């Protein structure tokens, strides 16, 4: 799947962000635009999304996490994510507070499963399911 | 300024309309819209909000005419329009990016808000919280292509890398 970068107003120039629309659980009406962050070890989502989708965090392991210079409470859970028609179960860290514009797609939970080709010069990225993971998903569904 | 609508006389002014519409989420724009403080509303929605009249009490044309007299920009989605009106294209500057800067221009009025996009340059709804956006989409049976917070500054736009 190919996705255009998102154009953001940035004063004198347009800011371009590599984003991927992600359906979280059954929130079909509102795919979340997530920033591809190769430096992030895990997926980091705003905690409001867990509440909105009915993910119970009451028993989820917690830790303090420093994100972008901000200390946030992180609840480590799992969520069903759908990217380009592929639905899979992924580890997600739900963070509160989360004052950032986007959720983050990181290594575990995204880059481990999808191969990403990124062209900043033309402002697009391609996301392709890893063959090994595709076979794993197929075996689960048969 | 005094207007007679459906037999009722109303005293309306620009600041009053802006104040009354401040906390109102815009309904989906089908064709015509007016811009109130950077947000696009169906003209009828604005007039209902400020007069308390029923939508059936007046036409879209009446609503547009009244709001234009009050100084609000009236336009039509994706069409050339005459006189004081403008089309979407007039509102959008050229620029970089996959949409030539049009997407950034469409998002500019919504800095600091949560938005849901329809088409790449179409903001379906903007609100102060993600919950309000979700509720609006559900209420109107609308499907967004993406939802996010329009960053208020560069730090937000840059995202966040875990330390």
């Amino acid at each position: 799947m190919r996705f255009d970068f998102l154009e953001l107003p940035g004063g004198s120039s347009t800011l371009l962000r590599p984003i991927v629309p992600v359906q979280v659980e059954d929130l079909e009406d509102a795919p979340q635009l997530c920033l591809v962050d190769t430096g992030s070890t895990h997926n980091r989502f705003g905690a409001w999304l867990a509440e909105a989708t009915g993910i119970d965090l009451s028993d989820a392991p917690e830790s303090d996490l420093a994100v972008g210079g901000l200390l946030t409470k992180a609840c480590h859970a799992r969520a069903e994510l759908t990217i380009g028609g592929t639905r899979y179960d992924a580890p997600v860290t739900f963070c509160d507070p989360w004052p950032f514009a986007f959720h983050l797609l990181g290594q575990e939970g995204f880059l481990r499963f999808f191969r990403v080709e990124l062209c900043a010069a033309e402002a697009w990225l391609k996301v392709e399911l890893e063959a090994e993971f595709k076979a794993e998903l197929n075996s689960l569904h048969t | 300024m005094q207007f007679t609508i459906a037999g009722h006389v109303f005293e309306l002014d620009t600041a009053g309309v802006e104040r009354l519409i401040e906390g109102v989420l815009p309904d989906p724009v089908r064709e015509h819209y007016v811009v109130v403080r950077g947000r696009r509303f169906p003209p009828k929605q604005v007039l209902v909000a400020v007069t308390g009249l029923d939508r059936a009490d007046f036409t879209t044309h009446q609503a547009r005419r009244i709001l234009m007299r009050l100084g609000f920009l009236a336009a039509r989605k994706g069409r050339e329009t005459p006189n004081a009106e403008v089309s979407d294209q007039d509102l959008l500057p050229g620029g970089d990016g996959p949409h030539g800067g049009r997407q950034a221009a469409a998002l500019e009025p919504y800095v600091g808000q949560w938005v849901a996009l329809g088409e790449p340059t179409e903001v379906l709804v903007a609100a102060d919280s993600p919950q309000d956006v979700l509720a609006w989409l559900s209420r109107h049976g609308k499907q967004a292509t993406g939802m996010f917070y329009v960053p208020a500054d560069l730090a937000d736009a840059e995202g966040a890398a875990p330390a």
Side-chain angles (χ1 to χ4, degrees):
Chain A
M1 304 80 68
R2 176 177 151 148
F3 303 105
D4 287 333
F5 281 18
L6 182 75
E7 296 177 1
L8 290 175
S12 57
S13 63
T14 299
L15 299 171
L16 300 174
R17 312 305 292 149
I19 53 88
V20 171
V22 178
Q23 178 187 317
V24 181
E25 295 283 321
D26 297 312
L27 203 58
E28 294 176 15
D29 292 344
Q32 302 296 305
L33 295 194
C34 298
L35 189 69
V36 175
D37 184 355
T38 56
S40 178
T41 55
H42 288 77
N43 294 335
R44 316 286 191 196
F45 288 9
W48 67 266
L49 200 48
E51 189 180 340
T53 55
I55 295 172
D56 183 9
L57 297 179
S58 57
D59 292 329
E62 291 180 16
S63 63
D64 290 329
L65 187 70
V67 183
L70 174 91
L71 193 64
T72 185
K73 188 180 89 173
C75 289
H76 307 279
R78 303 192 72 85
E80 293 276 322
L81 306 183
T82 304
I83 297 176
T86 299
R87 184 170 176 129
Y88 66 107
D89 177 67
V92 174
T93 302
F94 290 98
C95 303
D96 184 27
W98 187 259
F100 305 111
F102 306 100
H103 312 287
L104 301 181
L105 291 175
Q107 294 165 26
E108 284 297 319
F110 176 64
L111 292 167
R112 196 172 85 74
F113 302 125
F114 291 90
R115 188 163 297 192
V116 177
E117 181 185 357
L118 192 146
C119 180
E122 296 173 7
W124 55 260
L125 72 158
K126 285 181 184 169
V127 176
E128 185 185 352
L129 198 60
E130 291 283 7
E132 187 183 339
F133 184 49
K134 193 174 188 176
E136 192 180 320
L137 280 179
N138 285 339
S139 69
L140 285 174
H141 294 147
T142 53
Chain B
M1 210 176 284
Q2 208 170 65
F3 299 93
T4 301
I5 314 164
H8 303 274
V9 178
F10 295 92
E11 189 72 36
L12 301 174
D13 61 74
T14 309
V17 171
E18 287 177 342
R19 194 173 57 251
L20 285 166
I21 210 78
E22 195 172 344
V24 178
L25 288 182
D27 285 342
V29 172
R30 289 180 187 166
E31 185 177 0
H32 295 283
Y33 64 87
V34 291
V35 180
V36 182
R37 285 202 171 165
R39 296 189 299 161
R40 296 176 179 185
F41 290 83
K44 277 192 159 192
Q45 186 191 8
V46 176
L47 217 54
V48 165
V50 300
T51 63
L53 291 172
D54 191 273
R55 296 177 82 95
D57 290 338
F58 52 88
T59 65
T60 298
H61 180 68
Q62 275 180 295
R64 290 174 68 235
R65 190 160 37 82
I66 289 167
L67 293 165
M68 284 172 71
R69 281 187 60 195
L70 288 168
F72 294 104
L73 181 73
R76 183 181 277 195
K77 280 178 77 174
R79 290 223 192 148
E80 293 298 328
T81 46
N83 302 329
E85 302 181 15
V86 297
S87 71
D88 281 353
Q89 289 303 314
D90 295 324
L91 298 170
L92 307 171
D96 294 332
H99 307 288
R102 291 188 299 277
Q103 188 172 51
L107 291 169
E108 180 80 53
Y110 306 105
V111 165
Q113 289 188 290
W114 286 85
V115 299
L117 291 180
E119 297 298 317
T121 60
E122 177 194 19
V123 177
L124 292 175
V125 60
D128 290 333
S129 76
Q131 290 85 358
D132 285 344
V133 170
L134 292 178
W136 187 94
L137 290 170
S138 176
R139 199 162 57 243
H140 291 279
K142 289 283 181 180
Q143 165 81 54
T145 55
M147 171 180 163
F148 62 102
Y149 173 80
V150 184
D153 55 42
L154 187 62
D156 282 351
E158 289 296 321

